[in-house]
Each structure stands twice: as C-alpha cells, then as structure tokens.
Amino acid sequence: MAEIELRHIQKYFGAVHVIRDVNLTIRDREFVVLLGPSGCGKTTTLRAIAGLEEISSGEILIDGKPVQNLHASERDIAFVFQLYALYPHLSVFENIAFPLKATGMAKAEVDRSVMAIADALAIHHLLSLRPSALSGGDMQRVAIGRALVRRPKALLLDEPIGALDAKLREDMRVELKRLHLENGSTSIYVTHDQVEAMSLADRIVVMHDGILQQVGTPSEVYLRPANLFVAQFIGSPVMNIAEASITSSGGKVAVELDGESFAMPHDLVGMLVEKNADRISLGVRPEGVLLSHEEKAGYRPVEAHIIQPYGPFDIVDLRVGSQTLRARTHTGFVEKAGERVWARIDPAQAHFFDTASGNSLEIRLSE
Amino acid sequence: MAAVTSRGQRFGRPVAILAILAVTLIFLSPILWIGATAFKPRAVATSVPPTVFFEPEVTPFVKLLTKRVQLKQPVAPEVYEAAPWWEKLVYDGGERVLKVGDEPQLSQYPNRFLNSLIVSIVSTVLAVSMGTITAYGFSRFKIKGEQDLLFFILSTRMLPPVVVAIPMFLMYRQFDLTDSHVGLIILYTAFNLSFSVWLMKGFIDEIPKEYEEAALVDGYTRMQAFFKIVLPEAATGIAATAVFCFITAWNEYAFALIMTNRRAQTAPPFIPSQIGSGLPEWTVIAAGTVLFLLPVAIFTFLLRNHLLRGVTFGAIRK
Ligand SMILES: Nc1ncnc2c1ncn2[C@@H]1O[C@H](COP(=O)(O)OP(=O)(O)O)[C@@H](O)[C@H]1O
Ligand SMILES: [Mg+2]
C-alpha cells in the first residue's frame, strides 16, 4: 500500500487544457473519491496516475518516488475500467490470474492467490466461465478481483459501477466499502454520482473544468461547500441559491430575496462588512428552510405551489417573489398546492457566497 | 408483433430459401460442370449435345499427374495384367506412362501446384502479419499524416496491377527475380499488403483499447499485451484477411504468366498452357482445375466460423 502525491499536474489534449494545476495527496489506505460532472477531467487524472496518459507537466509521486516517467507496467497500480475490460478470450480464472503471470509467479502460487480472491468476492462458481456469460455485477466483481489479486500499491477505479442498474449499484457500493475495510488498499475512485461519493469516501475531491474545487470529508464538503459549484453539485435536491441583499433597520437584520425579507441574527452584518463583498448570494439547502403552520417569530408567510412526495419526506416549492425556495418537510406537512405557510431560513444552515467569484465567504451563523 | 413476425416468416422463409437455392445454383453451375468434366471419359466430355449422365472415371486425374507417350502398338497382355490399376487406365487410352527405371514420371502439375502453395502461403503469412502490425500502429498511436498515409497505402490498389506489369518485369529481370519463388512472394505480399492493412485496421479499431491498457497496468509490456491480448482478440479479423489474401495470391494469373515460366511457375498459368497445340485434353484440364480449387475450399471451410463472425463483426460486438 502506498501514498500518492500529485504536484502541479497539467494536461493538455492539443490546445485543450484538461487538468489545471492539480495538487493532491492521497494518504496510505485512504479511499478518495474524485467527484465531478462528466468531462471535467476525472478519467484523465486517473489514467495519468496509472501511467496510461502522459501528463504535460507536474510530478506524480508514489511513496515519495516520482513515477511520471515510468511505464504503466512499472508503477504497480491496478486499474478497474468503466466497462470492466475483462479479456473475452480468457476464462474468469485466467482473467484473474493474468496479472500474476506477468510477475512469473509459480503456478501453484497463482492458483492459491486466485482462489483466495475468489473466496473474498464470492465468485468461486464463476471461475470456469467466459466473461460474456457473466452479469454486469459479476463482471465487476471479477474486474475488482483481477485488480486486487496481485496486491498492488494502489487501486484506481473509474466509475466501476456506473453501468449497473440502480439496485445492483447499491449492493455493489456496500460490497466495495466492505472490501476496502478488509483490504485497506489506497484507492482512488472516480464517479459523477454524489451519493456514491458521499457513501464511500474518506475524502471527496470535487473537480470541475479540470480544477480541484474542494477536498474534504463527505460532511465537510456537504456542510461547508467551498464555492457555488460545490454547493450546487453536492446535495439532492439542489441547494437553493439566490442573490441576496442584507438589510438592517431598527436593530433588525434580514436577508432580502427578491424583495421578500427573512430575519437573520445580528452578527451577520459585522461578518459581512469584514468580507467586503460587493454582491452576495445566499445558499440554503431544502432542509435549512423551516416551515410552520402558525405564525412564529422570524417566520414569514409564503405560498406553497408544488409538492413532490419523496416517501420519507416531501419537497415543497415556495413562491418567494418571482423565485422559488425549496423546502424539505416531513411527509404530508403541506397538504395541497396553494396553501399558505410560514417559512424561515435557518441561519445555522445558511451559506454565503461572493457572487462574483463564487467562493464561499466562510460565514457560519449560529443563533 | 408476434403475429407480424410469424406471418412474415410463413411467407418469407420458403421464398428466401428458393431465392438462395437459385442464386447458389447459378454461381455453382460452372464449378459443377468442371467437376463433372474432370470425371468424364474423353469422348463424353466434348459430345454434342452435352452429356449429363455418364459413368465417372478417374482417368483424367491419372493423366494429369503422370508423363505419358502414345503407344505405337498395344501392350502385351501379360504386361497389361501386371500393371497397377492406374497404369491400366492409361493403357486403355492408348498411351503408356513414362518411367525412369521402375518409377513412373510425374507430370509438371504437382510441381506447379506446390509452387502455388509455397507462394500463396508465404505471401499470405507475410501480408497478414505485416498488415496486422501496421494496422495496430495506425489504430493505437497518433501518427503524423495518418489519413494521408492510409490513403497512400490504399492508392496502391487503385490502378489495375497489369498496368505496371512491364516495368515490374524489367525491374525483376534486372534483379534476377524472374521465375523465382521469392519474386512472386514479394509481388503478392506487396499486392495484398494494402488490403491487409485496411481490413486489419477495421478489426483492431473495434477492439477496445482498455483491454491492452488493462494488460499494461497489470505489468505487461506493450509487446506482450499485443501478443497476449490483441492477437487473440483479432483472430477473427486475421482469419478473414488471411482467406482473402490467400485467394488473391492463389488465383493470380497475369503476373504469374509474365514473371514465371518454369521453376517457379504456379498453377494458374500452367493449366491453360496444357491446352497447347493439337487436340486439347479437356478432361485433364478439368481435373487440374478441380484439384486447383480444393485448397481454397478447404482453407475457407476450416475458417468458416471465423469468417462468419468476421462478416458480422461490428454487429455482435456491441
Ligand atoms: N484522448 C483524448 N483526446 C482529446 N481529448 C480528450 C481525450 N480524452 C479526454 N479528452 C477530453 O478531456 C476532457 C476530460 O475528459 P475525461 O477525463 O474523460 O472526463 P471525465 O472522466 O471527468 O468525464 C473532456 O473534455 C474530453 O473530451
Ligand atoms: Mg470518465
């Protein structure tokens, strides 16, 4: 197992700048998820670490040793491809044994290692089959077995369960988590699915347009998004974001969204002045929008116009001026569209961003 | 949906089968005729109107493979009785087999046939292996002017080969390559190479590059990945390309006629040369043709599974 360090990685495809000055350290035994929308450069980053893609500049270190000039075969890293890339002309057993044969391992030892990994993945009954006879989930298990069998320094996975259907994806997610807990291999996992990222990662690396937006634990990334992109990319339904202005009159501070004002604690003014931002945006997740049937201090009346039942909770769209504020309520809280309720933005769950740069102002309010 | 399919099948099936039968018959009829002629008695072969039913005999094949001369007078009965069955057939035709000591002399046909085999097999192996490696390079690496190079390779097939026959002949004479196996092998390899590159590129493009990349990260060199992963995956394409190259080399007539006359002569120019002067022995020529058709038929039959997959390659992969 190993530590992987990326220093100032740049990658151009022709004139297209795909990876922009990426710096990242993946600690030994850590499970890091590279999360970002399609086309943001996740696969390219992963392939660069594996040695399948040459970087334009920068350094890749494995256990402190620069490897950017080594061939893929010399880096001792395993790669699980999005579409598994199991060799169609070899049986499952031969597929898993394939990396071991490269090392010139004795046959008895190869057999023992393949059996051990087949046990760990519960794929004994598949060993004699051809990949074409396997289901998607089993193909993925075999691909992971082939990656883990030679105990590589690190395991790279490129959307390994993206092609499976939803139910199977959930099972495989748990299985991957279990495998990582058992093996503790340093892993970099690429996905565009935030649920996968949140549930698997020790740390999430959010990527956009080839730039690392934020690196942090799942809760850090969720609770303290570094910028508007992260705030909107993570969390479902999406965080409410709107340009806001802060008003302070008669000792009362409020945030004004499209002419409608929501009460905020006093401290906000001082904090904002300190940040000196021209225009600010307010972000609040649906669960940070609190609703009440009766009038309460700090709550203001709004009209509910769309109700989406999710099962364990409802998502209610509230009309605020010409904009929509999305709230999460318990099931059946608002009975029908058109109903009037009282709403409040929970200051503890409010995020403030500099509209121009998109960066978080790092203002955290508690009451 | 089901109803439509079954109605389509009820009417479509027999019609399709009939059509296939008709087309097959049209395509096979010359071969059937040649095949029949190869087993006909000499007089029957040229009878007018043509004879369809006859008693088959193998005399044409015996004549094809042996050197013979006309008998001045019938052989003595005891000599006839002592002769093996094939020699009797020749005696029956008023000829005798030439011998050196006790060994019957073979005609030139087996030698020409062997030449055809050598030249076709070696040139096919060369064209397919060189084509596969070249195609791999074009398929997997960024190559400057790739499109132009590929077009150039294809363009070598754009004019009829015979156009360059005279200059080629002059060059070959200069390099002492006329009437040599090496000369024909070079010619056929060069001729098939462009096609081999293009065909193999199509097949190798279809093999996801992740297969090799998986092998690369698993500790194999690119060379090993090529032999262990790409070649087995491309087997279908290699088989299809090989059959095509083999057939082209095996059937080639014009250059073989110009470039060879004796030592390295292949079967295609040899067979018609037997017509020669005097009365042509059609049955013997037919026998030579039938034997000539066999290798391609056998080769194609052996690789039929690969060929069928080759034809529908793109379709089943996805
Ligand atoms: N081999 C390549 N040649 C040119 N452009 C490429 C190549 N591979 C990827 N790209 C481009 O680089 C960008 C990042 O791609 P990729 O790393 O695959 O993104 P992701 O995996 O995040 O979806 C995309 O815009 C893609 O079009
Ligand atoms: Mg990708």
Side-chain angles (χ1 to χ4, degrees):
Chain A
M1 292 304 135
E3 181 178 280
I4 299 173
E5 192 178 345
L6 308 181
R7 286 190 193 155
H8 302 291
I9 305 291
Q10 308 269 7
K11 171 71 187 176
Y12 290 85
F13 281 118
V16 188
H17 201 173
V18 176
I19 303 179
R20 299 161 187 252
D21 194 30
V22 162
N23 291 280
L24 181 66
T25 303
I26 295 114
R27 295 187 280 263
D28 189 24
R29 298 178 162 260
E30 193 175 23
F31 197 113
V32 164
V33 173
L34 261 181
L35 174 67
S38 178
C40 72
K42 308 179 297 289
T43 298
T44 308
T45 308
L46 211 60
R47 289 170 55 85
I49 297 171
L52 294 172
E53 205 79 72
E54 268 182 45
I55 52 175
S56 307
S57 67
E59 272 192 307
I60 301 170
L61 298 100
I62 298 179
D63 280 338
K65 277 190 231 89
V67 298
Q68 64 270 16
N69 295 321
L70 294 185
H71 288 298
S73 56
E74 298 159 339
R75 296 192 190 186
D76 193 17
I77 278 181
F79 201 109
V80 176
F81 291 85
Q82 190 161 10
L83 291 171
Y84 324 128
L86 299 177
Y87 312 124
H89 63 289
L90 300 180
S91 69
V92 167
F93 182 96
E94 291 164 325
N95 262 282
I96 298 177
F98 194 74
L100 298 176
K101 290 192 177 143
T103 66
M105 186 185 271
K107 195 179 167 307
E109 185 64 21
V110 170
D111 287 356
R112 194 149 358 108
S113 305
V114 174
M115 289 307 163
I117 207 81
D119 277 341
L121 291 159
I123 52 172
H124 248 119
H125 57 295
L126 306 174
L127 287 177
S128 61
L129 299 180
R130 286 290 166 100
S132 55
L134 304 183
S135 67
D138 284 339
M139 280 196 216
Q140 192 51 68
R141 286 190 186 91
V142 174
I144 290 170
R146 187 176 68 185
L148 287 176
V149 72
R150 70 188 158 90
R151 310 203 151 273
K153 286 203 178 124
L155 180 61
L156 310 183
L157 305 105
D158 188 6
E159 312 217 10
I161 59 179
L164 306 179
D165 57 48
K167 174 77 182 72
L168 199 51
R169 244 187 352 245
E170 238 165 69
D171 296 346
M172 286 301 295
R173 218 161 61 207
V174 178
E175 206 161 324
L176 282 169
K177 185 130 196 168
R178 175 182 65 81
L179 270 175
H180 180 251
L181 292 177
E182 284 170 9
N183 283 290
S185 38
T186 306
S187 307
I188 309 180
Y189 184 107
V190 159
T191 181
H192 62 262
D193 180 19
Q194 46 151 328
V195 180
E196 258 169 52
M198 298 292 278
S199 62
L200 284 169
D202 293 328
R203 280 192 304 158
I204 293 179
V205 176
V206 185
M207 199 166 180
H208 180 49
D209 282 345
I211 299 171
L212 296 195
Q213 305 288 323
Q214 187 172 5
V215 181
T217 62
S219 62
E220 274 167 7
V221 171
Y222 188 80
L223 296 175
R224 308 165 77 89
N227 56 36
L228 281 173
F229 176 80
V230 177
Q232 287 182 290
F233 192 73
I234 295 196
S236 171
V238 182
M239 179 187 279
N240 298 292
I241 306 270
E243 269 216 56
S245 52
I246 308 299
T247 58
S248 158
S249 64
K252 289 199 170 168
V253 175
V255 50
E256 213 161 275
L257 299 178
D258 208 28
E260 314 246 348
S261 57
F262 291 86
M264 284 285 147
H266 276 105
D267 309 352
L268 181 60
V269 180
M271 289 173 162
L272 278 176
V273 168
E274 211 172 290
K275 300 291 177 185
N276 197 16
D278 275 347
R279 288 152 61 215
I280 62 164
S281 294
L282 169 79
V284 61
R285 297 197 188 280
E287 63 263 36
V289 179
L290 310 177
L291 295 191
S292 163
H293 284 301
E294 302 99 42
E295 183 165 6
K296 281 208 256 178
Y299 284 67
R300 56 160 303 118
V302 288
E303 185 194 317
H305 69 115
I306 296 176
I307 301 162
Q308 300 177 68
Y310 272 62
F313 55 87
D314 289 350
I315 295 297
V316 180
D317 285 8
L318 309 166
R319 222 190 293 270
V320 175
S322 64
Q323 301 195 356
T324 295
L325 188 63
R326 199 160 269 176
R328 176 172 159 161
T329 69
H330 57 255
T331 310
F333 183 86
V334 180
E335 275 166 12
K336 56 182 196 308
E339 209 174 298
R340 287 192 78 75
V341 289
W342 274 263
R344 162 170 195 238
I345 291 170
D346 180 2
Q349 298 189 56
H351 306 264
F352 297 91
F353 302 93
D354 180 339
T355 307
S357 69
N359 290 332
S360 170
L361 295 172
E362 298 299 335
I363 292 173
R364 311 287 164 197
L365 295 170
S366 42
E367 286 171 273
Chain B
M1 182 64 205
V4 172
T5 319
S6 70
R7 201 174 64 189
Q9 277 178 354
R10 206 177 315 142
F11 292 104
R13 260 286 167 87
V15 172
I17 289 172
L18 276 181
I20 290 170
L21 275 179
V23 171
T24 310
L25 206 67
I26 292 169
F27 276 109
L28 286 184
S29 55
I31 294 171
L32 290 176
W33 193 252
I34 282 279
T37 306
F39 292 93
K40 281 177 183 172
R42 190 171 178 181
V44 174
T46 50
S47 62
V48 182
T51 319
V52 177
F53 298 101
F54 58 93
E55 203 168 310
E57 55 173 50
V58 293
T59 317
F61 289 91
V62 177
K63 288 181 170 180
L64 174 73
L65 298 173
T66 53
K67 269 191 179 149
R68 294 153 289 122
V69 286
Q70 290 276 298
L71 282 173
K72 306 243 165 52
Q73 68 230 22
V75 287
E78 62 274 17
V79 176
Y80 184 89
E81 281 310 317
W85 62 269
W86 47 269
E87 204 169 5
K88 282 182 187 151
L89 291 176
V90 175
Y91 285 138
D92 291 344
E95 291 177 322
R96 71 180 168 84
V97 176
L98 274 180
K99 291 186 180 172
V100 174
D102 266 349
E103 283 297 303
Q105 289 239 58
L106 287 182
S107 71
Q108 289 170 331
Y109 185 85
N111 171 263
R112 302 301 193 257
F113 193 87
L114 190 66
N115 284 343
S116 267
L117 276 181
I118 293 171
V119 169
S120 303
I121 290 174
V122 175
S123 72
T124 298
V125 169
L126 286 177
V128 172
S129 50
M130 286 159 69
T132 304
I133 292 170
T134 310
Y136 178 76
F138 273 117
S139 176
R140 291 301 196 253
F141 298 100
K142 282 212 181 75
I143 292 167
K144 239 188 178 161
E146 174 178 332
Q147 292 308 315
D148 297 333
L149 284 173
L150 280 171
F151 179 78
F152 170 72
I153 290 172
L154 188 66
S155 71
T156 60
R157 289 294 289 267
M158 285 183 181
L159 76 175
V162 191
V163 172
V164 296
I166 305 287
M168 285 301 294
F169 178 74
L170 295 176
M171 276 196 274
Y172 264 48
R173 210 173 46 182
Q174 199 65 237
F175 290 110
D176 214 11
L177 285 170
T178 49
D179 203 19
S180 73
H181 294 97
V182 175
L184 272 193
I185 288 169
I186 292 175
L187 206 56
Y188 292 170
T189 305
F191 190 67
N192 274 330
L193 195 53
S194 66
F195 188 83
S196 167
V197 169
W198 271 78
L199 207 59
M200 285 312 300
K201 179 165 186 305
F203 284 109
I204 292 177
D205 281 345
E206 289 277 319
I207 302 172
K209 69 178 192 322
E210 281 82 2
Y211 290 155
E212 288 150 80
E213 292 181 340
L216 289 181
V217 291
D218 282 345
Y220 289 89
T221 63
R222 188 166 275 282
M223 197 66 129
Q224 289 170 321
F226 176 77
F227 282 107
K228 285 180 192 288
I229 304 300
V230 180
L231 278 194
E233 287 302 309
T236 290
I238 291 172
T241 310
V243 166
F244 181 86
C245 290
F246 184 81
I247 291 175
T248 309
W250 184 257
N251 289 347
E252 206 285 328
Y253 175 75
F255 280 96
L257 183 70
I258 297 165
M259 299 290 185
T260 65
N261 50 28
R262 208 182 298 273
R263 210 160 53 81
Q265 191 181 44
T266 54
F270 173 76
I271 292 172
S273 77
Q274 290 170 293
I275 298 176
S277 52
L279 271 184
E281 289 224 49
W282 290 115
T283 58
V284 177
I285 291 169
T289 308
V290 166
L291 285 189
F292 178 74
L293 290 176
L294 282 181
V296 170
I298 292 170
F299 191 42
T300 313
F301 182 78
L302 289 178
L303 295 178
R304 67 194 180 286
N305 288 333
H306 281 303
L307 287 178
L308 267 183
R309 272 209 288 147
V311 170
T312 55
F313 197 56
I316 18 177
R317 227 191 156 90
K318 302 277 144 62

